[in-house]
Amino acid sequence: MDEGVTVNVDVLERVFPMLIQHLRETAGEDVSLDVDYYWSVPAPESHDMTETPSELSVGQVSECMEWLTALARTPSMH
């Protein structure tokens, strides 16, 4: 069974700006995606690699972006 992993937030804080800069340099200010919908596996099944998920749902990139845009406008939402 998976024992988990520890993620250091300081590392993420240093790397995320690098990733965004790379994306900006390679794709520009706007990234166009060919699809909007994706499969979503509800937790805790999404992290269990020993079993095939019994339930799938659908997520939508545009809906996620609406939420992120609202969060960017109102950081106190989190």
Side-chain angles (χ1 to χ4, degrees), residues 8-38:
N8 184 286
V9 175
D10 288 334
V11 171
L12 296 177
E13 187 174 39
R14 287 192 306 269
V15 170
F16 280 1
M18 292 180 210
L19 295 172
I20 296 299
Q21 183 61 34
H22 176 74
L23 185 59
R24 186 172 279 125
E25 289 169 358
T26 58
E29 290 299 315
D30 295 302
V31 178
S32 295
L33 303 177
D34 294 336
V35 295
D36 189 19
Y37 293 93
Y38 59 89

Side-chain angles (χ1 to χ4, degrees), residues 15-75:
V15 170
F16 280 1
M18 292 180 210
L19 295 172
I20 296 299
Q21 183 61 34
H22 176 74
L23 185 59
R24 186 172 279 125
E25 289 169 358
T26 58
E29 290 299 315
D30 295 302
V31 178
S32 295
L33 303 177
D34 294 336
V35 295
D36 189 19
Y37 293 93
Y38 59 89
W39 289 113
S40 177
V41 181
E45 287 185 285
S46 60
H47 303 287
D48 184 356
M49 299 297 128
T50 63
E51 298 288 332
T52 300
S54 62
E55 180 182 335
L56 293 174
S57 62
V58 175
Q60 192 171 4
V61 176
S62 58
E63 187 176 276
C64 295
M65 286 307 304
E66 287 174 13
W67 183 84
L68 290 172
T69 300
L71 181 62
R73 288 187 186 127
T74 313

